Amino acid sequence: MLLPTGADASQLRLIVPFKNFVNDSYCRDISIKIRAVQRLKRLEGRYAGAFAPYGYRKKPDDKEKLIPDIYPAYIVRKIFILRICGMSLKKIAQNLEDSGILPPLAYKRLTDVNYFSGFALHTVPEWTAQTVRRILDDRVYTGVLCQGKTEKVNYKVKHRIYKAQNEPVGKAKTHEAVVGDVQFNIVQELKKRKMRAQAGTESTGMFSGILFCGNCGQPMLRRRECYVCGKNNSSGGCSSHKISEEKLADIVFGQLAECVEEALKQCGDVLIEEKNCDRQISVYERHQELLERRADWLKRQAREVLPDFMAQKIEKWEYDLFKQRFEEEYIYFLNTAQKHKKTIEEMKIKSDMLGREQGGFDIKELLYRRERRFLTAAVKKIDIYKEKKIVINFRFGLGGLR
């Protein structure tokens, strides 16, 4: 290649910087316009993401609007209920894994082959505590569309940075909510409090995270079927306020029984379960068919790789790679389908039991069984004082004093 010399070289030295300036100005102008359009969409409450969040799908006739995806929406509600019942994030993830529920990455790949996520940490997707935490912290499930949490430094750099907390644009009630505001707020409150699972169990104690010492403000700790002040237990700086769990439960649930109607009116979205079990089972069965079809397809693909290798269409390393990948995914989907089928059978048994009882779910049944879900839904905080005084702070404004 001959390099220009003389006058041509001087002319080239003038033209190249000018062209670079024009190209750079064009890129900057396009970047400004795209950012302006995306910000306008966020302000108007239109969804600007490439893929819908887990639990939702894009409306077929309007790609900028979200509608609930029935099957994962059930799973999202289940996650919130399990958390309110006191189950840890790790135990929730293990529960979903054992039930044959596909994690968000695997589900989206099952329904959208072009899906990509930067959160993938494993070759085979799995539920993790971090995945559960992201779902519990996302306000999109309450009908609030909060977008623009991150942004690129500029059009030349692909690295993304998180914006300040007040900068992302949020628009309320842009789509149908999967969980209620009360349910979401309870989970956020419980996240700020220290809770530990009881030894040999999957969930925390009945009063864990809501029972406090009224004198020093420290959480009450469970010790041999009784609760004592945490500060007294560690340093002895406060009186013990010792009270048995059974006696405390009698007092608290006795107060709740007197205002059960108000509790149902204010916290119904937390307490009421899915009444139409048959509809829920049919949704799970349709998803079961998807899992089985995917497993059969992967099995066929693993077999069809061999003829391509024998015909020398692919190399030996490509054959080994494709076969291994297809077989791993086949085993994963086959095991998931078996676990999922077992979950459906358990749901049918539960549906038959509810059918034999008084027409399904009853709010008084939760009160009779003294479930933690009812307690956390109705009670915000319980204070125990050394004068044997108990103050119950209800969520619906009826302060109980005993």
Side-chain angles (χ1 to χ4, degrees):
M1 179 179 179
L2 296 176
L3 297 176
T5 58
D8 292 338
S10 300
Q11 187 177 7
L12 183 64
R13 284 195 294 269
L14 292 174
I15 293 175
V16 170
F18 179 73
K19 284 185 175 181
N20 290 340
F21 172 76
V22 172
N23 292 335
D24 188 69
S25 299
Y26 175 77
C27 293
R28 184 174 64 253
D29 184 54
I30 291 295
S31 175
I32 292 172
K33 290 179 179 178
I34 291 176
R35 285 172 183 254
V37 170
Q38 290 180 339
R39 180 167 179 78
L40 180 61
K41 284 185 177 181
R42 293 194 288 267
L43 289 172
E44 294 177 349
R46 293 184 288 167
Y47 186 70
F51 303 98
Y54 181 72
Y56 289 95
R57 59 188 177 91
K58 293 185 177 181
K59 195 174 181 179
D61 56 346
D62 186 0
K63 298 298 183 180
E64 295 177 348
K65 188 173 180 60
L66 298 176
I67 57 176
D69 193 357
I70 299 176
Y71 176 77
Y74 277 130
I75 306 305
V76 171
R77 293 191 195 102
K78 180 179 180 180
I79 291 173
F80 274 85
I81 291 295
L82 291 177
R83 185 56 178 161
I84 291 173
C85 289
M87 193 174 289
S88 67
L89 302 181
K90 186 177 180 181
K91 290 295 184 181
I92 293 174
Q94 187 62 47
N95 181 285
L96 296 172
E97 197 74 25
D98 294 340
S99 301
I101 307 299
L102 286 179
L105 177 61
Y107 177 78
K108 290 181 180 180
R109 284 179 177 173
L110 181 65
T111 55
D112 187 349
V113 293
N114 295 320
Y115 179 74
F116 172 80
S117 172
F119 291 126
L121 298 177
H122 308 280
T123 305
V124 177
E126 62 182 20
W127 282 99
T128 63
Q130 183 63 26
T131 306
V132 175
R133 182 183 289 109
R134 289 194 187 102
I135 291 175
L136 293 174
D137 291 344
D138 200 341
R139 293 201 67 91
V140 71
Y141 299 113
T142 63
V144 177
L145 196 58
C146 186
Q147 304 181 95
K149 298 177 184 178
T150 63
E151 66 176 355
K152 290 183 179 179
V153 178
N154 56 50
Y155 65 98
K156 294 182 179 181
V157 182
K158 291 186 177 181
H159 177 68
R160 305 189 72 89
I161 58 174
Y162 281 91
K163 293 183 179 179
Q165 192 172 2
N166 59 341
E167 288 187 18
V169 178
K171 191 79 172 179
K173 308 305 177 187
T174 59
H175 54 274
E176 184 180 343
V178 172
V179 297
D181 292 330
V182 175
Q183 205 168 356
F184 183 84
N185 292 333
I186 291 173
V187 170
Q188 303 314 306
E189 285 180 14
L190 294 177
K191 184 178 68 171
K192 300 175 183 177
R193 300 173 182 177
K194 293 182 179 180
M195 298 186 298
R196 294 182 62 184
Q198 298 181 20
T201 63
E202 292 186 349
S203 59
T204 58
M206 182 184 296
F207 296 97
S208 180
I210 61 175
L211 187 63
F212 296 87
C213 173
N215 295 101
C216 66
Q218 292 295 314
M220 300 283 284
L221 303 181
R222 191 173 185 269
R223 293 291 182 268
R224 296 182 180 180
E225 306 300 327
C226 294
Y227 284 94
V228 297
C229 174
K231 187 174 182 180
N232 176 269
N233 183 75
S234 59
S235 61
C238 186
S239 60
S240 66
H241 308 353
K242 187 176 180 180
I243 184 172
S244 69
E245 184 176 45
E246 184 178 357
K247 181 180 179 181
L248 181 62
D250 290 339
I251 295 172
V252 174
F253 281 94
Q255 291 285 322
L256 287 173
E258 298 176 4
C259 49
V260 64
E261 297 298 331
E262 185 67 21
L264 179 60
K265 184 170 67 174
Q266 298 292 334
C267 310
D269 60 341
V270 184
L271 302 175
I272 297 178
E273 294 175 328
E274 176 63 42
K275 290 184 178 180
N276 193 346
C277 293
D278 293 336
R279 179 171 178 263
Q280 188 174 359
I281 290 172
S282 66
V283 172
Y284 273 63
E285 286 178 339
R286 287 199 297 270
H287 184 69
Q288 178 70 18
E289 294 176 3
L290 282 177
L291 291 174
E292 292 174 352
R293 284 205 301 266
R294 180 67 174 179
D296 292 339
W297 180 83
L298 289 167
K299 187 177 181 179
R300 290 196 305 270
Q301 291 298 313
R303 291 175 178 175
E304 293 174 0
V305 173
L306 181 59
D308 291 340
F309 173 65
M310 298 300 293
Q312 298 183 352
K313 293 182 180 179
I314 57 176
E315 300 290 338
K316 178 67 167 60
W317 67 270
E318 291 177 310
Y319 166 72
D320 294 337
L321 178 64
F322 289 146
K323 184 179 179 182
Q324 180 183 0
R325 184 176 298 174
F326 285 133
E327 287 179 347
E328 285 179 355
E329 287 195 34
Y330 166 71
I331 294 172
Y332 170 74
F333 276 97
L334 183 64
N335 292 337
T336 303
Q338 292 173 351
K339 293 177 183 178
H340 198 263
K341 187 175 182 180
K342 184 178 179 181
T343 302
I344 294 175
E345 292 172 355
E346 293 174 354
M347 290 172 62
K348 289 181 178 179
I349 294 173
K350 181 181 177 181
S351 176
D352 293 339
M353 292 176 62
L354 288 173
R356 287 194 296 270
E357 294 174 0
Q358 301 174 356
F361 176 81
D362 186 2
I363 182 65
K364 295 181 180 179
E365 181 67 18
L366 281 181
L367 186 62
Y368 174 75
R369 291 183 297 184
R370 296 185 173 182
E371 284 201 8
R372 176 181 164 85
R373 175 156 48 115
F374 186 26
L375 185 65
T376 52
V379 178
K380 188 174 183 179
K381 186 181 179 184
I382 302 173
D383 289 317
I384 309 292
Y385 292 86
K386 62 182 180 181
E387 299 87 2
K388 299 298 181 181
K389 184 174 68 174
I390 301 175
V391 176
I392 306 173
N393 184 7
F394 290 104
R395 293 188 183 277
F396 39 87
L398 301 176
L401 182 64
R402 185 183 179 97

